Amino acid sequence: MELDRRLLLIHCAAHALSVAAGLLVVVPMALNGSAFKGRCALFSAGYWRKEDRAEFTEQPGEMSHLVVQRWGPLEACQLATFVGIFTTLYGAAQGWRCLFYLHGRHDDTLFSSFLTVLLSVCVLFLSAGASVILSLGFSSWCDTVTDDNTRPYSCAESQSVPLYLDVDTSTFYTDLSLAQASLWFVTALWLVQSILAFLRLYHSHRQNITGPWLHRDKELLLGHTPLDSGSPTPPLPPATPSVCV
């Protein structure tokens, strides 16, 4: 198998993985947004307060519940969702193009390959930034829920503990942890795609440069010159016979 077809086949596999990884980012973030009624848990600020249990459960005694002072910015959650959606759509479109190129036995043009490299690098940095924001925001929310790790349960266990909020917190850790891991995997895939796109660009550029020289060397080895391959040499006029007296 030629080098360009091997690179194209690996690129197709990377695009297929991007579709699956992008969906694993979008679906958990959508479920978490629905459970939190459109609010973003990332970078939320709050504190724990003790109040009369009768206000919440109609039972005597005191209880502590979480009070959210400020919900996180929606942009923090929307950025991760946008990267997941773009990765899914782009991976599906490019995967179809890869299959078309494999069937037609040709590749992108030099300019198209350059645009692919540029786009892959830009989305790589965007995905890396979204991954860092999601990780930091998730860690901040866990600190709020566990009261800076002073509660007798971990962040994973806190989703089964009643927080007495007006949102559903029964699956927040599962949703956000899955989205976090998937988004970092998406970032790794964009890194792989950037490298593959650069290799395809380099291979295409090398073929465009060495192609005419290889054709010329082949003609020289066969004993032809560029002049021979051009217009044929006109025949010489017939010699006039000389008569000796």
Side-chain angles (χ1 to χ4, degrees):
M1 185 181 294
E2 299 177 357
L3 177 61
D4 54 348
R5 288 184 60 81
R6 288 199 299 266
L7 291 175
L8 195 58
L9 187 60
I10 297 174
H11 218 163
C12 286
H15 287 312
L17 290 176
S18 297
V19 174
L23 289 176
L24 289 178
V25 175
V26 175
V27 174
M29 293 300 296
L31 293 176
N32 182 257
S34 177
F36 276 65
K37 300 179 180 180
R39 301 164 185 168
C40 184
L42 306 180
F43 300 105
S44 297
Y47 62 94
W48 286 85
R49 183 172 62 187
K50 290 185 177 181
E51 290 186 359
D52 188 8
R53 185 186 297 269
E55 297 182 6
F56 296 92
T57 61
E58 298 181 356
Q59 295 179 359
E62 287 187 349
M63 57 163 289
S64 59
H65 69 96
L66 180 64
V67 177
V68 178
Q69 293 176 308
R70 173 182 51 82
W71 289 101
L74 291 177
E75 292 78 8
C77 295
Q78 291 172 352
L79 179 60
T81 305
F82 169 76
V83 172
I85 293 175
F86 181 82
T87 301
T88 301
L89 297 179
Y90 182 82
Q94 291 295 327
W96 181 85
R97 291 181 71 231
C98 281
L99 294 178
F100 176 75
Y101 287 155
L102 283 174
H103 180 72
R105 293 183 177 274
H106 62 88
D107 204 349
D108 280 337
T109 61
L110 191 62
F111 180 70
S112 180
S113 299
F114 173 75
L115 291 181
T116 302
V117 173
L118 186 62
L119 179 63
S120 299
V121 172
C122 291
V123 181
L124 169 63
F125 284 103
L126 181 63
S127 178
S131 301
V132 172
I133 290 175
L134 179 58
S135 298
L136 294 178
F138 186 28
S139 177
S140 175
W141 171 249
C142 284
D143 291 339
T144 301
V145 169
T146 59
D147 199 9
D148 293 329
N149 297 322
T150 58
R151 291 282 161 177
Y153 45 79
S154 63
C155 186
E157 297 170 345
S158 62
Q159 67 179 2
S160 59
V161 175
L163 304 179
Y164 301 103
L165 296 173
D166 60 342
V167 296
D168 184 11
T169 59
S170 60
T171 59
F172 81 88
Y173 186 84
T174 303
D175 295 336
L176 293 180
S177 59
L178 178 59
Q180 178 186 12
S182 301
L183 192 56
W184 279 111
F185 184 61
V186 165
T187 303
L189 285 176
W190 277 112
L191 176 61
V192 172
Q193 291 187 34
S194 300
I195 296 174
L196 290 174
F198 176 77
L199 291 177
R200 288 173 61 186
L201 173 64
Y202 173 76
H203 185 66
S204 178
H205 177 66
R206 187 177 179 183
Q207 280 187 333
N208 289 338
I209 291 180
T210 59
W213 290 99
L214 290 176
H215 180 69
R216 180 182 176 183
D217 293 342
K218 182 178 179 181
E219 288 183 344
L220 292 176
L221 289 175
L222 293 176
H224 300 286
T225 62
L227 183 60
D228 295 336
S229 60
S231 59
T233 305
L236 296 175
T240 304
S242 59
V243 179
C244 296
V245 179

